[in-house]
Amino acid sequence: MVGVALGRPRGGSRRGVLAALSALAVVTGGPLMTNGESASAATAGAGHGARKVHRSAASLCDSSASKPPFFVDEVRQPPVAKPDGGRRGGGKPGRADHYTLTAAVHHTHRFAGSWPASKTLAYSTADAPMDYFGPTIVTREGRPVDVRLVNKLPPSGTPVFPTFPTTDDDNMVTLHHHGGLQGAESDGVPDPLGTEIHPGHSSTYRYPSDQAAAPLFYHDHDDGNTGPHVYAGLIGYSPQTDRREQHFGLPNGRFSKTYALLSASFDGNKQLCYSKWGDLPVVNGTIAPKQQVEPRRYLFTLLNESPARYFHLAWHQVSGTASSPPVMTVVASDQGYLRHPVRVPDLLLAPGERYRVVVDFHARDAQQWVLSNDAPAPYPMGGGGLPVPQIMRFDVGPRASSPDHSRIPRTIEETNNALPLARKLRNARLRIVQAAEPTAGNPMIGDENQPLNYMQPATETPQQGSWEVWAIRNYSPDSHPIHLHLIEQPQLIGRWHVGRWTPDGKPVPGTIGPFEPAPAYQSGPKDVFDSDPDYITAWVGTFPIEGTTVWHCHMATHEDGVNSNGAIEMMRPLVIGRKEQTQLPRVKTLERLNRLVG
């Protein structure tokens, strides 16, 4: 297909790409290297692309013969990190909270109590050492946070996980504050558009924390290795909170839990083995754990950290007096709270998505409930990975330890959920993009006209401060969770089914179905948008921060380009600049958008 580049520019050719991007917007430099070197000096001569040592997917990932007993180990909650020195702002008003986060290899983590320790990666702070995952870093409205990331992975050229696919041996890292509104230089953009950190070096990222409360998280974003690094443990929670949140009346303290869901595989020695689909459920680093709860309301924050697997979650009772399932109410999504909470019988969770859900265990004392999953892999057509039907078990105790004074407000008023959709559309321009699969197993994204590779010049160049509707035409066979960096007040609008496509990915006239509005539980602020095959899916948002970042599929196997050994990555530059996008039509109304998408 015209315009599809199967190889990535290497070495010196990056300069031409960066020059082209610079012409579109002011491109800020990489983060300051805290060892005194400039970012360019620290990465000079890296040859990050040229030294790729891609490996094929391991054939040894099979946990079926050695899976541990389920629902034996208690789920663990990651500790909340304290700022360096234990004092916020260094003890002085107006100063930033400072954290030193170290990425390193560990050999002590047990995914099951009956299993031997496995090699993993983890983030640690001085007061919160970890051997898998990372400590929770809480950011607060109006209080900046500086995170110094120290790369203590082995020297470049040292294999860490020899059987993992696509992993190169440079052992570089970067840090993406997913959903955060930080400067582009602190966004953790992958090489070569951003600065990655060599082993033995460090870099400091500044997070202004100037946004509404939201279930944010942080993770590695090394080019071509995001999936393996996150899978091995380089991920952590980073919830943003604000003054309004404390008045919502939702469950808090020990009645608020966070769960990162991963579908993982292990080899015959019970060592972590990288697998696209996985075959065992891992929650916060433990295989199929259990959680003791009281008969009361809880607030659960759910994050899908899997490289490719979707989860479709529901309740299944396994013991106790027969009862209806615990009531689930979605109160927040990726970037903040829903204006109006929504009760749901089940919940679809794509890779990178987060939901905050109030679960009501009242009148379910002495019962046991399994959080179950029936999403096929790949989603939605299936035919790939093994089923992962059980995630974890909740054991409800006989009585509550104290009265439950929590509540679910009918309306949650936040700074990023008040603007009606009609107001957002009024001045928005329409940008059409696509998801395609020009060669089998190698999906790509691109502009309206063609699929494009990561290192081809930017085509998505929104004006800073403007509103845009993005409509993605997905004529690939898979669903793709699309993530945009540095987007504010994003909202899913809805979708249109397409009966037939032209060879170049345009809907055949007369085959576009009626508009299907976004489900109510997906109406809140989101930064991951599920794009189903044979649909046009639309969302709207504004772009407050100037600079170069990325947009990509959050299935890490697609983002990293596993099937092409990194040659085709489902990721594109996103250049937010000053030029008005007059080539794009005005949306004005939902009715007009309905006409424009065809």
Side-chain angles (χ1 to χ4, degrees):
M1 182 175 292
V2 175
V4 177
L6 299 185
R8 289 175 49 195
R10 308 289 186 181
S13 61
R14 293 177 186 165
R15 296 180 182 176
V17 175
L18 291 175
L21 293 173
S22 298
L24 290 166
V26 175
V27 181
T28 53
L32 175 68
M33 309 306 288
T34 57
N35 59 10
E37 292 186 84
S38 69
S40 58
T43 56
H48 187 65
R51 291 218 314 241
K52 292 281 184 185
V53 186
H54 293 289
R55 290 177 278 268
S56 299
S59 60
L60 303 177
C61 296
D62 183 8
S63 311
S64 58
S66 59
K67 68 179 184 180
F70 280 17
F71 316 134
V72 172
D73 298 313
E74 290 283 345
V75 69
R76 293 168 280 196
Q77 291 290 305
V80 177
K82 296 178 181 177
D84 295 346
R87 297 181 298 173
R88 298 199 170 276
K92 298 181 180 180
R95 292 267 185 102
D97 295 342
H98 194 284
Y99 296 83
T100 299
L101 196 66
T102 300
V105 180
H106 296 271
H107 301 270
T108 58
H109 183 78
R110 296 174 183 268
F111 286 92
S114 59
W115 277 18
S118 175
K119 182 191 292 186
T120 55
L121 302 179
Y123 294 117
S124 296
T125 59
D127 72 302
M130 305 286 286
D131 59 7
Y132 180 78
F133 214 70
T136 297
I137 297 178
V138 179
T139 59
R140 291 168 170 80
E141 178 189 25
R143 187 188 293 273
V145 169
D146 288 342
V147 178
R148 176 178 173 243
L149 177 61
V150 180
N151 184 355
K152 284 196 174 180
L153 298 186
S156 295
T158 307
V160 177
F161 295 97
T163 64
F164 277 24
T166 78
T167 305
D168 63 53
D169 296 332
D170 283 338
N171 297 330
M172 306 272 277
V173 296
T174 187
L175 189 67
H176 176 48
H177 188 215
H178 185 121
L181 297 175
Q182 53 273 334
E185 72 279 3
S186 289
D187 195 40
V189 179
D191 176 74
L193 303 183
T195 302
E196 298 185 353
I197 307 168
H198 277 269
H201 292 273
S202 64
S203 180
T204 296
Y205 300 78
R206 166 61 65 102
Y207 305 136
S209 305
D210 187 17
Q211 61 188 103
L216 310 183
F217 68 110
Y218 63 93
H219 63 83
D220 183 68
H221 215 321
D222 176 38
D223 180 45
N225 301 295
T226 296
H229 283 181
V230 171
Y231 189 89
L234 292 187
I235 183 173
Y237 299 112
S238 183
Q240 165 78 4
T241 188
D242 61 17
R243 298 177 187 89
R244 295 175 180 236
E245 190 175 33
Q246 60 186 313
H247 302 297
F248 295 161
L250 299 169
N252 57 29
R254 62 193 179 96
F255 306 115
S256 176
K257 307 290 185 182
T258 52
Y259 302 115
L261 278 54
L262 169 69
S263 181
S265 290
F266 299 83
D267 64 20
N269 296 318
K270 302 178 177 62
Q271 297 296 296
L272 190 63
C273 188
Y274 192 67
S275 170
K276 182 176 185 177
W277 305 119
D279 51 21
L280 286 177
V282 175
V283 182
N284 292 358
T286 299
I287 296 172
K290 62 181 180 180
Q291 173 76 71
Q292 301 289 331
V293 293
E294 298 179 8
R296 62 188 305 145
R297 282 182 290 271
Y298 282 77
L299 179 64
F300 293 161
T301 299
L302 303 173
L303 159 67
N304 184 351
E305 62 157 319
S306 298
R309 184 181 287 271
Y310 281 64
F311 294 105
H312 182 228
L313 304 173
W315 293 109
H316 175 67
Q317 188 174 6
V318 292
S319 76
T321 304
S323 171
S324 59
V327 175
M328 296 193 295
T329 304
V330 175
V331 296
S333 53
D334 306 330
Q335 265 199 19
Y337 283 91
L338 277 65
R339 185 78 173 174
H340 302 292
V342 179
R343 282 191 178 187
V344 294
D346 48 58
L347 189 64
L348 182 68
L349 197 63
E353 274 194 306
R354 294 89 68 205
Y355 285 101
R356 279 188 175 150
V357 182
V358 174
V359 179
D360 194 343
F361 292 105
H362 278 112
R364 289 164 183 84
D365 43 287
Q367 297 176 359
Q368 292 180 325
W369 291 88
V370 168
L371 190 62
S372 63
N373 165 57
D374 65 0
Y379 186 84
M381 63 182 182
L386 295 173
V388 180
Q390 297 177 313
I391 306 299
M392 62 183 294
R393 193 182 74 196
F394 290 83
D395 297 347
V396 188
R399 63 187 62 86
S401 59
S402 60
D404 183 0
H405 297 299
S406 68
R407 63 187 179 90
I408 302 174
R410 289 187 177 182
T411 301
I412 297 179
E413 295 184 355
E414 256 294 2
T415 56
N416 65 345
N417 70 7
L419 194 64
L421 176 61
R423 288 277 302 278
K424 295 178 181 180
L425 297 180
R426 185 178 302 169
N427 295 314
R429 293 186 181 273
L430 174 62
R431 185 180 299 277
I432 294 177
V433 294
Q434 65 173 279
E437 195 167 296
T439 59
N442 295 302
M444 304 174 72
I445 49 178
D447 64 10
E448 179 177 8
N449 299 312
Q450 59 189 337
L452 297 163
N453 210 352
Y454 178 36
M455 287 312 304
Q456 291 181 270
T459 49
E460 287 66 58
T461 56
Q463 182 184 22
Q464 182 186 16
S466 69
W467 288 88
E468 288 193 1
V469 170
W470 285 38
I472 187 166
R473 298 167 171 168
N474 184 357
Y475 60 108
S476 78
D478 293 335
S479 288
H480 298 288
I482 303 297
H483 172 48
L484 276 68
H485 290 214
L486 304 185
I487 186 172
E488 188 176 22
Q489 298 191 57
Q491 181 178 348
L492 180 64
I493 300 170
R495 62 184 192 168
W496 299 258
H497 183 262
V498 178
R500 285 192 298 133
W501 302 94
T502 65
D504 60 348
K506 294 179 174 58
V508 172
T511 69
I512 300 178
F515 173 67
E516 302 173 21
Y521 81 92
Q522 293 183 339
S523 64
K526 290 186 59 58
D527 56 48
V528 176
F529 303 96
D530 188 30
S531 169
D532 285 336
D534 294 324
Y535 274 89
I536 300 171
T537 302
W539 59 86
V540 62
T542 186
F543 300 87
I545 298 166
E546 188 175 30
T548 295
T549 184
V550 291
W551 67 285
H552 57 87
C553 177
H554 217 283
M555 292 174 69
T557 50
H558 292 171
E559 172 189 345
D560 290 336
V562 168
N563 288 346
S564 66
N565 286 333
I568 301 174
E569 296 174 294
M570 201 173 185
M571 180 162 59
R572 293 285 295 138
L574 174 60
V575 179
I576 304 166
R578 300 178 184 179
K579 183 180 179 181
E580 187 176 0
Q581 302 293 285
T582 55
Q583 78 280 11
L584 303 179
R586 294 280 189 188
V587 174
K588 297 183 179 180
T589 65
L590 184 59
E591 290 74 17
R592 178 171 162 80
L593 174 63
N594 200 37
R595 297 193 299 269
L596 289 172
V597 293

